[in-house]
Each structure stands twice: as structure tokens, then as C-alpha cells.
Amino acid sequence: MSIATNIESLQVDLKPIGVTLIAVSKTKSNEEIMEAYTAGQRIFGENMVQEMVEKYEALPKDIAWHLIGHLQTNKVKYIAPFVSMIQSVDSLKVLKEIDKHAGRHHRVIDCLLQVYIADEATKFGFDHAELIEMLRSHDFQDLQHVRIRGLMGIATNTENEKVIKEEFYELKMLFDGIKTSFFRKEDTFDTLSMGMSSDYNLAIEKGANMVRLGSTIFGKRIIKHYKNND
Ligand SMILES: *Cc1c(COP(=O)(O)O)cnc(C)c1O
């Protein structure tokens, strides 16, 4: 299967059920990305700031770039001019920094709050209590240049489907609760990003409306060890 046919068949499955496909292009070449682009894909996910900036500069400007990896505060300035969504907001500190740089560019940047759902100590994200505490804080309520669109989560890397389903279910319940408690009047709090190549069908079954697929589209990545991700 080619990249183009993978995109086309995924979109045939996902579009009618209202699930947005993020093509995760980390480590992939501009040529590979262009093959997906030519097949109609416009939203791409990257987890490293520098790699995203280089690809943004080289590739068509109607691509929407989503950051899906941990973001250090000192790197926000590089993506603030163009990033379409930051899915990996994992602290108030980084959110305030995004707000500051978005303001300088007269933008409002869409963000997802990353929630820690996996049974793995290495993953980033808020736990439930931290998330609620932040949403209640004045510091959070004062932000003007970020728009919280929903939640993102990464399930445990396991073959055990029951564990994965429980984690996705938990995140969906949290999403519904937070929407009711904090974003009742905001129609734009509408995005639940969960599911990667190995588990996206389970994620959709549990209520995801955005999935982030890399290897399903582009084939396996050459193993690369990042400092902050993976
Ligand atoms: C790499 C990555 C993905 C895609 O992983 P695949 O298994 O290749 O689909 C999705 N989400 C995040 C946060 C990632 O870092």
C-alpha cells in the first residue's frame, strides 16, 4: 500500500463518522509528506519543534501543523507564528508562555490539554486533580490568546485491550465532565484526541473524534530515541 492509498482509505473510513485524521509525519521526509498532501491530507503532527519549523518552511502553507510532543517553554517562540494546534499542553507554565507569544503575533492558538492516562511513568500530562486546579485558577482564566479545544491522551503501550479501553473510557468521562463544568458555553471545546496506529479503533469506540496516525500511513519509523518523547 502506498502513502496515498493509505490516506484515501483512512479518510473513507474516518470522515463519515466525524473523526479528524492527524498524519503523524515525525522522522518522515518532505517527499513522503507531499505524497500524503497530494492525496488530500492537510493536517500533520510533529513532536519536535525544530523538525516542525523546518518542514513548515519547506512545505505548502495550507498545511495545518499540530504539535503532539512535549513542549519546552523556551521553544514556544519558534512555533507561535504558525502552529495550528498544540495538543501537548502539560502545564500552566507552558500555556502562559503560549499565550504570551500568541499575543505578540496577534493570534489565538488552539490547544489541547494533555492528560496522563497511561500506566507508564515516562509519559507527560496533567493528572485529574492538577487539571481541575488549573482550570479553576485565575491565572488560567486570565489567558487571552489561547483557546482550549479539548483533551489529548496517550494510552499505555500494551497488547492488553482491556487496559487500553479503560484508559480511553476514563479520558472520555473526564472530557465530558470538564466540558459540563468549565466549557458549557463554549462550542469550541469539542476535540478529544486519542488513538494512535495500534489502538485507534479502540479510541474511536470510546469516543475519540481525532486520531494521530503515523506508521499506519507512512510505514514503520526507524527507531530513533528522543530526549523528550517516545
Ligand atoms: C508518534 C506519535 C503518534 C503516532 O504513532 P504511530 O504509532 O506511528 O501511529 C501519535 N501520537 C503521539 C503523541 C506520538 O508521539
Side-chain angles (χ1 to χ4, degrees):
M1 290 273 271
S2 71
I3 292 170
T5 52
N6 290 341
I7 292 286
E8 283 155 12
S9 67
L10 280 165
Q11 290 291 16
V12 164
D13 290 342
L14 299 178
K15 262 197 188 140
I17 57 171
V19 175
T20 301
L21 173 64
I22 311 301
V24 176
S25 50
K26 62 192 184 194
T27 79
K28 298 298 171 182
S29 68
N30 292 346
E31 290 67 33
E32 291 169 294
I33 294 172
M34 280 312 293
E35 194 180 334
Y37 178 91
T38 305
Q41 182 65 27
R42 288 295 180 275
I43 315 178
F44 291 86
E46 291 283 337
N47 66 344
M48 302 287 280
V49 163
Q50 193 185 334
E51 188 174 342
M52 180 189 271
V53 170
E54 285 167 9
K55 288 173 175 172
Y56 163 73
E57 284 168 357
L59 292 166
K61 291 297 173 283
D62 63 340
I63 289 179
W65 294 100
H66 284 211
L67 189 77
I68 60 171
H70 177 67
L71 177 59
Q72 291 170 274
T73 47
N74 61 353
K75 295 197 174 159
V76 172
K77 58 178 177 285
Y78 301 116
I79 60 170
F82 70 89
V83 70
S84 171
M85 182 184 276
I86 300 174
Q87 296 204 10
S88 42
V89 172
D90 56 10
S91 69
L92 179 58
K93 184 169 164 239
V94 79
L95 196 57
K96 283 176 161 175
E97 193 71 10
I98 296 165
D99 187 76
K100 181 173 93 187
H101 287 282
R104 285 184 187 165
H105 292 280
H106 310 287
R107 299 189 67 205
V108 174
I109 296 181
D110 281 344
C111 293
L112 301 181
L113 304 174
Q114 183 173 348
V115 180
Y116 176 92
I117 53 170
D119 191 15
E120 288 166 14
T122 55
K123 295 266 158 54
F124 291 95
F126 292 95
D127 68 31
H128 294 203
E130 283 168 352
L131 188 60
I132 306 292
E133 188 191 325
M134 181 182 80
L135 292 169
R136 285 197 179 130
S137 71
H138 291 294
D139 276 4
F140 173 78
Q141 288 162 12
D142 287 345
L143 300 176
Q144 299 289 326
H145 298 280
V146 291
R147 183 168 65 166
I148 306 302
R149 296 294 307 271
L151 304 181
M152 185 272 256
I154 306 170
T156 303
N157 184 5
T158 171
E159 310 265 284
N160 187 338
E161 291 199 354
K162 187 166 169 283
V163 169
I164 298 170
K165 282 189 195 178
E166 279 168 6
E167 291 171 355
F168 287 149
Y169 178 76
E170 178 193 318
L171 188 56
K172 168 68 165 136
M173 289 301 111
L174 184 67
F175 175 86
D176 290 344
I178 285 179
K179 183 161 179 62
T180 309
S181 306
F182 297 96
F183 297 96
R184 188 189 282 282
K185 296 193 199 97
E186 278 144 273
D187 293 340
T188 51
F189 187 91
D190 60 1
T191 304
L192 181 56
S193 172
M194 54 185 198
M196 334 200 329
S197 292
S198 58
D199 57 20
Y200 71 97
N201 285 310
L202 302 177
I204 292 168
E205 183 188 314
K206 294 299 172 194
N209 60 10
M210 180 177 280
V211 294
R212 310 174 307 269
L213 306 187
S215 41
T216 300
I217 296 168
F218 295 104
K220 278 215 170 74
R221 282 179 301 278
I222 296 150
I223 305 291
K224 203 170 149 183
H225 290 285
Y226 292 120
K227 244 189 282 161
N228 297 315
N229 293 288
D230 266 359

